Amino acid sequence: MRLISNMLDVRITKLTLENFRSIKHASIAFPNSDYEAVLNNSPSILGIYGQNGSGKTSVIMALNLIKRVMSGEQLTREDEKTIRLGTEKSSFEVSFLLTVSLVESEGKEIKPDTALMVEAYYNFDVVKLNPTDAKESFAGLAIENEVVKFRLSTPEGKVVVAKQVWFDTRKTQSDDMGIAFGSKQKYMILLNDDKANMAKAVELKKKASQMGASFLFMKEFQELLEPFVKDMESEQFVKKTTEEFFSHDTLSDLINSVENSDDELSDEEAEKFFYFTVFSTPMVVLRSLRWFSVECFHVIGTSTTGLVYGGNIPLVMIRKNRVDDRYTPYRINLQRDAVNCVPKEVFPRVRDTINQIGIVLSKVVPGLTIEVQEVQPDSNTFFVPYPNSIAIELFSCRNGTKMPLGMESDGIKKIVSIMILLIAAYNDPSVTVVIDEIDAGIFEYLLGEILKVLSESACGQIVFTAHNLRPLEVLPSKFVLFTTTNPEKNFIRIPNRGNSNLRDTYFRQIILGGIEEQVYNPTDRFEIDLAFYRAGHVGEEG
């Protein structure tokens, strides 16, 4: 059976923050983020715990900002509030592991012997502009000092492309060629020494700064690099460079020493070489990171949860087949208390998504499922669908009784809104789901059961914050981070001791201490009692 497709998986491996909100400096390593874990579809679960105001939500907001930047979105003036008071910029470094392998024509069987892995690193700063420049800027902020570097190697450890900087927008570059590339040689490789494209790159960089957007992840900039990718995709290039690929350690060496070859490749050899070679290009790494951020990286913050409580069900329609079905997720806010309009071409995806949620929901909350029903306007209704659309309404079904979903509890509505993303993370190694306050409105025992299943069987990556400590009784210690009172070291892991679960261990550290970093800023129950009394007797003597 021929190998016809490549399978790309992306996982976040590390996050480093400086001067972001209350965080002066923090570094977080994500569990199960090595090559073997990704190839084996091991889950990467990270729960963040700590007292109020200790930096949990800051991590969620940082990941959300990174997603937006790498998706090519603009910053807003609200983002200026995330820069730590007294500083002029926030700095970010995020590391990724990208793995690619060929699959059989059905898209089911992975071919480990065809696998490659890329360790990619993206650095950038969010900088406050001076008053003069801020007037010309959409956000009053700019994304500066962007750097993308990576290493490409085989599972056996053979380096195919050595770790090096390929894209670099820092102002320390020695000449105009440093507008985006690590060296003049890389500029010549990636833009084919095209002066017109170089001039376009200069203009785009200025435009990105005014927009408050990433230059490297700008769609227009990435399109400048397309001709190089197309050259590498050509059959002539594949045949021409086969022998050279397997005899050189780096891409630059390969390109500089390509010679004509009369050897013919079998279909399978050509296919294998094609994906190996194309994936080794810096452009494809850059484009893959943008694709991951748009399609597979989902952040549910408290603002989204507010939509749930405010009468909406934020629904994300995801891809069904991660090998062949790479459409951009369709996001829609469904009014839970009213009739909704959706485009006709979108309705089948909405229906399938609701059905997917119902399959899991009936097991999470026994006897409960949801369904979507098309509404036919009649003379008794004032609701008329707009052209090429379908009117729908959401219902919950429990023990044979159907009622509008809006009549269910906030906890049920919260579960419905996040369930499709948890389903995606369970089945797809490339999906990363980030949820702030995952426990809000959800029964603690049920939350523990859901997280236990995900920690044992999910293929993707899930990051969450919570106040409810039930998950600490079911999650391995490597899946949990705790905040500290040290601004230089905000997050630590606490290993289990003896037969105690992580919840008991955490309480012991709060009460007795015993580890290097303090995990709780002490409070006194009697002082709290006295404070309540004094607050009710302000102005009274004695």
Side-chain angles (χ1 to χ4, degrees):
M1 191 175 296
R2 284 190 64 221
L3 303 169
I4 65 161
S5 181
N6 75 306
M7 184 165 58
L8 174 69
D9 295 323
V10 182
R11 183 165 288 187
I12 302 172
T13 60
K14 189 175 182 180
L15 172 66
T16 300
L17 305 173
E18 288 188 6
N19 297 325
F20 185 78
R21 300 188 82 214
S22 63
I23 296 176
K24 185 175 181 179
H25 175 84
S27 185
I28 296 174
F30 293 80
N32 283 353
S33 295
D34 57 14
Y35 171 76
E36 184 177 354
V38 172
L39 194 62
N40 292 331
N41 291 336
S42 299
S44 177
I45 310 295
L46 184 64
I48 305 175
Y49 280 84
Q51 66 189 116
N52 295 339
S54 60
K56 303 185 299 298
T57 296
S58 293
V59 176
I60 306 301
M61 294 181 68
L63 290 170
N64 184 48
L65 188 146
I66 290 167
K67 171 193 164 52
R68 290 161 47 212
V69 168
M70 294 179 61
S71 298
E73 297 180 19
Q74 297 173 263
L75 299 177
T76 70
R77 292 192 178 270
E78 285 295 307
D79 290 310
E80 182 176 347
K81 299 176 183 178
T82 65
I83 299 177
R84 194 166 185 261
L85 288 177
T87 64
E88 297 301 314
K89 69 177 183 179
S90 296
S91 298
F92 304 79
E93 179 177 351
V94 57
S95 306
F96 302 88
L97 182 65
L98 297 80
T99 57
V100 65
S101 56
L102 301 184
V103 297
E104 298 286 8
S105 57
E106 283 84 1
K108 296 179 180 179
E109 183 179 349
I110 303 174
K111 291 291 187 180
D113 59 320
T114 67
L116 284 175
M117 64 176 182
V118 173
E119 299 164 74
Y121 309 85
Y122 176 45
N123 302 64
F124 67 95
D125 296 333
V126 174
V127 181
K128 293 181 184 178
L129 296 176
N130 61 51
T132 302
D133 293 335
K135 291 180 181 179
E136 304 295 325
S137 169
F138 172 81
L141 301 169
I143 297 173
E144 296 182 356
N145 302 321
E146 293 184 89
V147 177
V148 170
K149 51 189 174 182
F150 69 87
R151 175 194 295 114
L152 174 67
S153 56
T154 66
E156 295 77 27
K158 180 181 179 181
V159 175
V160 179
V161 178
K163 182 179 178 180
Q164 54 190 293
V165 173
W166 278 91
F167 299 98
D168 190 345
T169 69
R170 290 174 293 186
K171 296 177 181 178
T172 55
Q173 298 296 340
S174 59
D175 54 42
D176 289 342
M177 303 308 178
I179 193 72
F181 308 104
S183 67
K184 184 175 181 179
Q185 179 191 26
K186 293 182 175 69
Y187 150 70
M188 296 176 68
I189 291 173
L190 294 171
L191 286 185
N192 292 324
D193 202 14
D194 188 319
K195 304 299 183 185
N197 277 352
M198 187 62 208
K200 290 180 183 177
V202 173
E203 289 301 314
L204 288 175
K205 188 171 187 291
K206 181 179 179 181
K207 179 181 177 182
S209 179
Q210 292 173 340
M211 292 172 57
S214 163
F215 172 50
L216 297 185
F217 289 96
M218 219 178 170
K219 184 178 180 181
E220 296 93 328
F221 171 67
Q222 295 197 359
E223 287 174 348
L224 288 181
L225 308 179
E226 289 293 340
F228 177 66
V229 176
K230 291 178 180 178
D231 287 344
M232 295 198 73
E233 291 176 351
S234 69
E235 182 180 358
Q236 180 181 4
F237 181 85
V238 170
K239 292 182 177 180
K240 184 177 181 180
T241 59
T242 303
E243 291 184 354
E244 306 305 320
F245 178 81
F246 291 104
S247 62
H248 292 84
D249 287 334
T250 68
L251 181 60
S252 56
D253 289 341
L254 167 64
I255 294 173
N256 291 334
S257 61
V258 168
E259 297 178 357
N260 290 323
S261 174
D262 296 328
D263 293 342
E264 293 293 326
L265 296 173
S266 68
D267 287 342
E268 183 171 315
E269 288 172 331
E271 201 87 41
K272 178 176 178 179
F273 173 72
F274 169 78
Y275 286 110
F276 276 17
T277 307
V278 171
F279 192 77
S280 70
T281 67
M283 171 53 203
V284 176
V285 172
L286 201 65
R287 186 170 59 181
S288 296
L289 290 177
R290 190 177 193 275
W291 162 78
F292 163 74
S293 298
V294 171
E295 289 200 17
C296 298
F297 191 4
H298 306 280
V299 181
I300 305 297
T302 52
S303 60
T304 306
T305 304
L307 287 176
V308 176
Y309 297 149
N312 295 273
I313 299 291
L315 204 62
V316 179
M317 273 62 75
I318 58 173
R319 56 186 180 158
K320 297 178 184 177
N321 187 325
R322 66 195 181 95
V323 175
D324 303 315
D325 192 4
R326 290 180 61 173
Y327 57 72
T328 301
Y330 186 91
R331 293 171 176 82
I332 185 170
N333 285 331
L334 296 180
Q335 295 290 323
R336 66 169 187 257
D337 298 324
V339 176
N340 296 267
C341 259
V342 298
K344 286 184 178 180
E345 65 273 15
V346 172
F347 175 68
R349 290 174 59 185
V350 173
R351 182 186 56 214
D352 291 346
T353 299
I354 295 296
N355 289 339
Q356 286 178 283
I357 293 172
I359 291 171
V360 180
L361 187 62
S362 64
K363 305 302 178 183
V364 171
V365 184
L368 175 66
T369 187
I370 61 171
E371 65 178 48
V372 58
Q373 182 174 311
E374 186 175 351
V375 177
Q376 300 296 337
D378 55 40
S379 58
N380 296 321
T381 65
F382 295 99
F383 186 88
V384 179
Y386 53 79
N388 298 316
S389 68
I390 294 176
I392 62 173
E393 191 170 2
L394 299 178
F395 292 90
S396 68
C397 306
R398 191 193 298 261
N399 301 323
T401 301
K402 181 188 295 187
M403 64 181 182
L405 183 60
M407 296 180 66
E408 287 289 354
S409 68
D410 285 341
I412 293 296
K413 287 175 282 197
K414 169 73 176 289
I415 292 173
V416 169
S417 68
I418 67 173
M419 186 57 70
I420 191 61
L421 295 181
L422 296 181
I423 292 171
Y426 182 94
N427 291 281
D428 191 336
S430 269
V431 169
T432 293
V433 177
V434 181
I435 304 175
D436 195 16
E437 297 187 6
I438 193 174
D439 54 334
I442 300 178
F443 180 50
E444 65 171 347
Y445 188 82
L446 174 59
L447 176 65
E449 294 297 284
I450 293 173
L451 290 174
K452 183 173 178 59
V453 168
L454 294 171
S455 70
E456 293 174 346
S457 305
C459 296
Q461 192 165 38
I462 300 170
V463 181
F464 68 89
T465 68
H467 296 96
N468 188 290
L469 301 182
R470 164 64 180 164
L472 299 187
E473 298 176 350
V474 299
L475 292 177
S477 59
K478 68 176 181 178
F479 287 161
V480 181
L481 276 182
F482 296 96
T483 61
T484 76
T485 59
N486 183 355
E488 299 287 348
K489 191 175 182 180
N490 285 76
F491 304 96
I492 62 169
R493 284 183 169 83
I494 301 176
N496 279 346
R497 294 181 179 177
N499 296 323
S500 299
N501 62 49
L502 196 55
R503 175 177 180 148
D504 294 338
T505 303
Y506 183 44
F507 274 131
R508 189 180 303 115
Q509 300 303 328
I510 291 175
I511 298 170
L512 301 177
I515 58 176
E516 183 177 351
E517 300 295 340
Q518 188 179 38
V519 297
Y520 186 79
N521 196 6
T523 55
D524 188 293
R525 178 167 56 87
F526 298 104
E527 290 184 358
I528 295 173
D529 187 6
L530 180 59
F532 269 109
Y533 177 82
R534 286 178 173 174
H537 296 77
V538 175
E540 296 182 9
E541 294 184 1

